Structure formats: structure tokens, C-alpha cells
Amino acid sequence: MTPETYMRRYHTDCGCDDPSTLPTVSAEELYPSCPLNAAETSNCGCDLPDPEPLPICCCKASMVETLRLLCNTELANLVNFDAFFFLTDTLAVGGPLITPTTEADNIAALDASFQRFSPCNCDLIDVGGTAYYAAPGSSTTILESVEQLSLCAVKAIAFTLITAEEEGDTDIAIYRRAVRYLRRAIRAEGGDTSGCAPCSAHCDCDDCCCDAGLLTALATRNLSRQATLTAGPLVLQNVTVLGAIGSTLVLADETNRRIYFVCVSQVEALG
């Protein structure tokens, strides 16, 4: 399946603000009860207030905005949507975690798929993959088939880019195009790649918003903008800090050609 076909099949209802970036198949054709225009229905759209009581979801809103970057065809054509990994407090979906080595991360495999935001519900994302206990070294399977994840529970996401197939193209060139797009998108979203991103419009609760001190430390640690950090059981070593959208860090590794979205409130240690 080509990236274009994948986008037409799965990403029609991805919550893009710009209708010109949507594929040709409409959401009405796939889900007649869920129009793209949230104003046409009382229970559809990401910008409507959540019912009370609100859960404590420190990164849900900014994760929504960050995942929306994948709606853009320029980036989507470079992403392997069948090579994702999702981390919650309990689950590692897509592959087990291993004991850290010298690799950029301690993810054993990225075998989950990211399909879309669930129709009419940006609290959930539709995925496909096996869930393991989120403990390094554990290969115990919890669920063979995971179909949906709550964005309130997602602490980190990793994914791999496609492999070059056209003559004259290279894997590294694809990685660098993706990084350039992400840097531009972060600036357009209001993120500051040299410090703390404004996050008043993205945060879901007052006491776990963007940590200005942490983001500044990551952004100014050295000229190469390399960082080593832990986010729960996930260990990232010598990855590149691209910036932040709200309270979600965007990082990348050139060797494995992987992109990481990490909730800043989950970062516990810097190396």
C-alpha cells in the first residue's frame, strides 16, 4: 500500500484545520454521521469542551496538535504508518522495551500502526498492534490486538520513516526532509525551538503544563542540540531536540531515522 493510498483510506478524518490537505475521499463517504465541519454536529470535533469531570491529561491537547502534523501530505508521504510505537504508564504497544544499550532508544520493535483519530472523537486514536508490559526486559504480552488508545494515557510515541525507493533518493535525504518539515511546523504552531513553547492554548491542566526550565535546558544544552533523557521506562540517548508543541517534545534520531513525541511531564532524568 502506497503512502497516498494509506492517507486516502485512513486519514480523511484526521482533524486537519486546512481542508486543502485532506485526501479526495470525504469523511461523509466513510462516516456519514461525522461531518468534517464540527459546527454541523453537537458531538463531533476536537475543539469542543470535554464533559465533566475532566481527567488529568497533561499532554492530550498538545499530542492532538502534534499528531495533526501527520495530516499534511508533505510529511505523511515520508512516514511509515505501519512502524509506530506507543507508550503509556502500563503498556508498550508495538514492541517490548529492552534494557538500554548504546542505541538511540530502548524500543525493541515499532510494529504498531497508526490509522487515524477515531471518528468524531479526538480522545481516542485508532491503532493496530500488540501490547506488552511497559517494563524494560519484559516480553509478556498483555493484548494480542489493540485497536484503540486513549490519548489521555499516551506518554510517548515513536515512528519510523519510509525507505527510499525512487532512483536518486536516499534514506538520509528522506529523514532530513521530514526534520525540515517538523521544524517549520513547530514554528508555525508557535513552538520555540530555542526554548519553551507557548502552551496556554494546548494544556489540559494548570499544574503540568510546559516546563520552561526543562525545555530550556534541553534546547540550550549544546550547539548540536543533542539530548539524553528518560521518560518513564523509555530511554532516549543522543537524540536531536527539534522543539515542542505545547507540552509535547519533538525529537529525532538520524541513525534509526525515528521521530519521537514525548510528554514533557514524563521526563524524569537528563543524561
Side-chain angles (χ1 to χ4, degrees), residues 2 16 18 22-23 36 47 54-56 73 75 80 82 141 148 161 167 173 184-185 190 211 213 217 221 237 245 252:
T2 66
C16 302
D18 181 5
L22 290 170
L36 285 175
D47 299 323
L54 288 173
I56 303 300
T73 302
L75 179 61
N80 184 347
D82 290 320
T141 300
Q148 291 184 311
L161 303 175
E167 185 177 354
R184 293 198 307 269
D211 187 326
R221 182 164 290 255
Q237 301 185 79
I245 294 180

Side-chain angles (χ1 to χ4, degrees), residues 88-108:
T88 74
D89 285 335
T90 305
L91 305 178
V93 179
L97 292 168
I98 61 175
T99 302
T101 62
T102 58
E103 295 292 325
D105 60 52
N106 63 328
I107 302 171

Side-chain angles (χ1 to χ4, degrees), residues 62 186-187 189-193 195-203 209-210 215 244-248:
S62 58
I186 289 169
R187 288 194 292 270
E189 288 283 342
D192 181 355
T193 58
C196 179
C199 55
S200 59
H202 299 279
C203 285
C209 189
C210 164
L215 288 180
I245 294 180
S247 48
T248 298

Side-chain angles (χ1 to χ4, degrees), residues 84-87 90-100 105-112 129-143 158 233-235 258:
F84 268 71
F85 170 89
F86 304 91
L87 179 69
T90 305
L91 305 178
V93 179
L97 292 168
I98 61 175
T99 302
D105 60 52
N106 63 328
I107 302 171
L110 286 80
D111 291 334
T130 299
Y132 305 86
Y133 283 113
S138 172
S139 58
T140 302
T141 300
I142 301 178
L143 287 175
L234 177 65
V235 179
R258 292 179 179 176

Side-chain angles (χ1 to χ4, degrees), residues 19-142:
S20 66
T21 64
L22 290 170
T24 56
V25 181
S26 69
E28 290 88 339
E29 292 176 77
L30 294 177
Y31 303 100
S33 63
C34 184
L36 285 175
N37 183 359
E40 296 176 13
T41 181
S42 62
N43 61 355
C44 189
C46 303
D47 299 323
L48 298 179
D50 291 326
E52 297 290 346
L54 288 173
I56 303 300
C57 306
C58 297
C59 274
K60 186 187 74 175
S62 58
M63 275 291 186
V64 167
E65 296 303 315
T66 308
L67 285 172
R68 276 177 168 171
L69 300 181
L70 302 179
C71 293
N72 188 285
T73 302
E74 181 181 352
L75 179 61
N77 286 341
L78 305 177
V79 173
N80 184 347
F81 287 94
D82 290 320
F84 268 71
F85 170 89
F86 304 91
L87 179 69
T88 74
D89 285 335
T90 305
L91 305 178
V93 179
L97 292 168
I98 61 175
T99 302
T101 62
T102 58
E103 295 292 325
D105 60 52
N106 63 328
I107 302 171
L110 286 80
D111 291 334
S113 64
F114 172 52
Q115 297 169 6
R116 59 188 171 185
F117 291 100
S118 296
C120 300
N121 188 348
C122 283
D123 291 337
L124 296 171
I125 52 176
D126 291 351
V127 304
T130 299
Y132 305 86
Y133 283 113
S138 172
S139 58
T140 302
T141 300
I142 301 178

Side-chain angles (χ1 to χ4, degrees), residues 168-191:
D169 205 359
T170 66
D171 291 349
I172 292 302
I174 289 173
Y175 168 82
R176 290 173 180 169
R177 289 202 297 273
V179 167
R180 283 197 298 271
Y181 171 81
L182 286 167
R183 289 189 191 277
R184 293 198 307 269
I186 289 169
R187 288 194 292 270
E189 288 283 342

